[in-house]
Amino acid sequence: MFIDVLGSVAGLLTTISFVPQAYQTLKTRETHSISLPMYIIFTSGVFCWMIYGFALNAWPIVAANVVTFILSASILVMKIRYG
Amino acid sequence: MFIDVLGSVAGLLTTISFVPQAYQTLKTRETHSISLPMYIIFTSGVFCWMIYGFALNAWPIVAANVVTFILSASILVMKIRYG
């Protein structure tokens, strides 16, 4: 039981953590100190986690990574746009 | 077999993705557009993943998250220091 709760908390935190970054970037349009390679690699990795979750029918992994993918992809698009 | 490889690639990408951000931040000392709440929440989440991996004796989860923890914690410290 404790382990399941810990895994859910870990997944929730690492997923929602991108909300403040996406919000700040959307509001300020300032992306200078954000690393473009980081978001290219990270967004690709999260995409792989999504496919992995689908392949295993592990819906918690799919759900968490769909949200993270949308957030990190939006930060990536803003980084490309605002430089 | 394919699924295991996909999971390993996903884990590798989401782990190493923080290397370019840590390197850029270390080099430029510029953190203005990086979100402090993001790195506080993300680093806490990765710490939970580490404990989760220990609790399950799942060494790939421990190894990936120890590396991610060191990288995201260093970005967090630099964000706090350089503002």
Side-chain angles (χ1 to χ4, degrees), chain A residues 3 6-7 10-11 13-14 17-18 20-21 24 30-35 38-39 41-42 45-46 48-49 51-52 56, chain B residues 3 6-7 10-11 13-14 17-18 20-21 24 30-35 38-39 41-42 45 48-49 51-52 56:
Chain A
I3 293 179
L6 186 60
L13 290 176
T14 46
S17 65
F18 287 87
Q21 181 69 68
Q24 175 176 322
E30 216 256 276
T31 58
H32 192 253
S33 41
I34 291 174
S35 164
M38 167 178 163
Y39 276 88
I41 299 168
F42 186 82
V46 168
C48 289
W49 278 125
I51 308 299
Y52 178 78
L56 289 178
Chain B
I3 294 180
L6 186 60
L13 289 176
T14 45
S17 65
F18 286 87
Q21 181 68 69
Q24 175 177 322
E30 215 256 282
T31 58
H32 192 252
S33 40
I34 291 172
S35 163
M38 165 176 163
Y39 276 88
I41 299 169
F42 185 81
C48 289
W49 277 125
I51 308 301
Y52 177 78
L56 290 179

Side-chain angles (χ1 to χ4, degrees), chain B residues 40-76:
Chain B
I40 291 172
I41 299 169
F42 185 81
T43 306
S44 314
V46 168
F47 184 77
C48 289
W49 277 125
M50 262 171 26
I51 308 301
Y52 177 78
F54 270 118
L56 290 179
N57 279 321
W59 300 111
I61 293 181
V62 175
N65 284 286
V66 163
V67 172
T68 309
F69 181 79
I70 292 166
L71 290 167
S72 66
S74 64
I75 296 166
L76 176 57

Side-chain angles (χ1 to χ4, degrees), chain A residues 1 3 20 30 38-39 45 47 50 54-55 60 71 74-75 80 83:
Chain A
M1 174 60 188
I3 293 179
E30 216 256 276
M38 167 178 163
Y39 276 88
F47 184 78
M50 263 173 24
F54 271 117
L71 290 167
S74 65
I75 296 165
I80 292 168

